[in-house]
Amino acid sequence: MTKYTSEVEGIQALGQAYQDIKKEISKVIVGQDEVVKFVLISIFSNGHCLLMGVPGLAKTLLVQTVSKVLDLSFNRIQFTPDLMPSDIIGSEILGEDRNFKFIKGPVFANIILADEINRTPPKTQAALLEAMQEKCVTAAGVTHPLPKPFFVLATQNPIEQEGTYPLPEAQLDRFMFNVHLGYPSFEEELAIVKSTTGNQVEQLQKIIHADEITYFQSLVRNIPVAENVIEYAVRLAAKTRPHTPLATDYINKYLSWGAGPRASQNLVIGAKCHAAIHGKFSPDIEDVQAVATTILRHRLVKNYKAEADGISIEEIIKQIL
């Protein structure tokens, strides 16, 4: 049961919780406001988030900080070239009573930090596919439900670095957002160095618990959306598909593959949550545009012409918007 008497009150509470969580996270994470925003939107939208950036930008620290501020169970899985699927989901072992029993792996937690997910081969990466989509895992023919709520927050190093394996498109599509972390500004880096080179350790308060998060997820789903906003989101995704009726010559020239229907769904859900955390009771086209780049970025595949002309995915998305 929820303590909020109406959806209006619930949306106001969601906006307040968002601000409180951001404030608490800022005790540890300096800057990165946009990154924190998208991580929290993915959580309240019941989605998964992929954080992309070079080593040393506090990707892991950010996820650990989020897990401390939310009253949820947390497990970190360090992806390495020798990691096996059973190291993630668990395995059957023969007990003393001569019966097999399932020993749960680290995936059985509310928040999973898949650290450096592209450092392990595709066979092991795929072990997360069922967990991310169905919120359960199957071992020896038996399906085991995962705890609710369940999120995968994965970090990834740039593909060009040594010892990385590109994530398959099917796996990338399971992530609601692909968020890029940039280098901090000079002032932000000064603040980071000052706060992390002493003995002081920030004590973080837990802001909300699992039941509240589940309620907010349901609340976001119930937010009404105008027909023109849904049409805009679907049209946006459709425009990315080369050689289809809505594709422009620019898209046909530079893209091999476009976004699928899951992108349209995420655009609408992401817009709903973006509106709610900013105190609006229904999303508009600006809310769709605010989440579009992080939703489409990992779902578009450039062709050799885009590579030759130095065209980035972000430029292509800007053209579509």
Side-chain angles (χ1 to χ4, degrees):
M1 292 294 290
T2 175
K3 57 189 176 184
Y4 307 114
T5 54
S6 67
E7 290 193 353
V8 170
E9 195 181 321
I11 288 173
Q12 290 169 341
L14 172 56
Q16 187 59 51
Y18 169 73
Q19 295 299 333
D20 292 344
I21 292 167
K22 271 186 68 176
K23 185 178 177 183
E24 203 65 21
I25 290 172
S26 69
K27 290 180 181 178
V28 175
I29 303 296
V30 177
Q32 305 290 13
D33 289 344
E34 281 292 291
V35 178
V36 171
K37 179 179 83 171
F38 284 117
V39 168
L40 295 179
I41 289 177
S42 72
I43 287 172
F44 290 130
S45 302
N46 200 13
H48 309 289
C49 193
L50 181 63
L51 303 175
M52 183 92 161
V54 297
L57 294 182
K59 300 186 295 293
T60 304
L61 179 63
L62 169 61
V63 179
Q64 289 174 328
T65 305
V66 169
S67 73
K68 288 175 184 175
V69 173
L70 308 178
D71 192 8
L72 299 173
S73 60
F74 167 75
N75 275 332
R76 171 181 174 172
I77 305 172
Q78 185 66 50
F79 281 71
T80 56
D82 59 349
L83 194 74
M84 298 297 289
S86 59
D87 296 329
I88 297 173
I89 64 172
S91 57
E92 294 264 319
I93 66 163
L94 189 63
E96 293 177 358
D97 57 357
R98 295 292 173 185
N99 289 321
F100 281 98
K101 61 179 179 180
F102 179 67
I103 302 298
K104 293 179 177 180
V107 78
F108 286 85
N110 296 122
I111 297 182
I112 301 301
L113 167 55
D115 211 4
E116 299 187 299
I117 192 172
N118 61 332
R119 292 258 180 230
T120 198
K123 175 184 177 182
T124 306
Q125 291 172 0
L128 275 178
L129 274 174
E130 183 187 14
M132 291 172 70
Q133 185 62 29
E134 311 296 339
K135 308 291 172 76
C136 61
V137 296
T138 302
V142 180
T143 300
H144 305 271
L146 292 167
K148 292 181 181 180
F150 175 77
F151 319 102
V152 174
L153 301 176
T155 70
Q156 176 172 310
N157 293 313
I159 296 300
E160 293 76 18
Q161 289 200 337
E162 288 292 322
T164 57
Y165 301 82
L167 265 69
E169 281 75 11
Q171 176 118 29
L172 279 173
D173 199 39
R174 297 305 196 281
F175 287 101
M176 182 175 187
F177 292 130
N178 180 356
V179 184
H180 283 195
L181 283 80
Y183 289 109
S185 67
F186 182 78
E187 290 75 17
E188 286 173 344
E189 193 161 350
L190 267 179
I192 290 167
V193 172
K194 285 176 183 175
S195 65
T196 56
T197 52
N199 284 324
Q200 187 178 353
V201 178
E202 286 290 347
Q203 296 299 314
L204 297 173
Q205 303 294 318
K206 295 191 183 297
I207 304 297
I208 55 175
H209 50 75
D211 289 345
E212 280 186 289
I213 293 171
T214 305
Y215 167 73
F216 287 142
Q217 288 173 346
S218 176
L219 184 72
V220 166
R221 288 269 174 174
N222 286 335
I223 290 173
V225 188
E227 192 68 27
N228 70 307
V229 176
I230 295 177
E231 283 183 14
Y232 178 80
V234 173
R235 190 177 293 273
L236 204 59
K239 281 181 180 178
T240 67
R241 299 162 193 164
H243 310 296
T244 58
L246 290 177
T248 62
D249 292 339
Y250 183 86
I251 294 302
N252 292 335
K253 181 179 179 182
Y254 287 129
L255 284 186
S256 296
W257 296 101
R262 194 179 274 121
S264 305
Q265 294 168 335
N266 285 336
L267 283 167
V268 172
I269 294 170
K272 285 183 178 188
C273 192
H274 188 271
I277 63 173
H278 291 94
K280 296 194 289 188
F281 301 109
S282 182
D284 50 32
I285 285 172
E286 284 73 23
D287 291 303
V288 178
Q289 291 171 335
V291 298
T293 300
T294 47
I295 286 172
L296 296 175
R297 179 186 277 142
H298 54 300
R299 292 182 163 92
L300 310 185
V301 180
K302 296 189 295 183
N303 60 22
Y304 69 94
K305 288 178 185 171
E307 296 288 353
D309 291 352
I311 303 292
S312 69
I313 286 292
E314 283 77 12
E315 286 176 69
I316 294 171
I317 294 170
K318 195 180 258 187
Q319 282 283 341
I320 296 165
L321 286 171

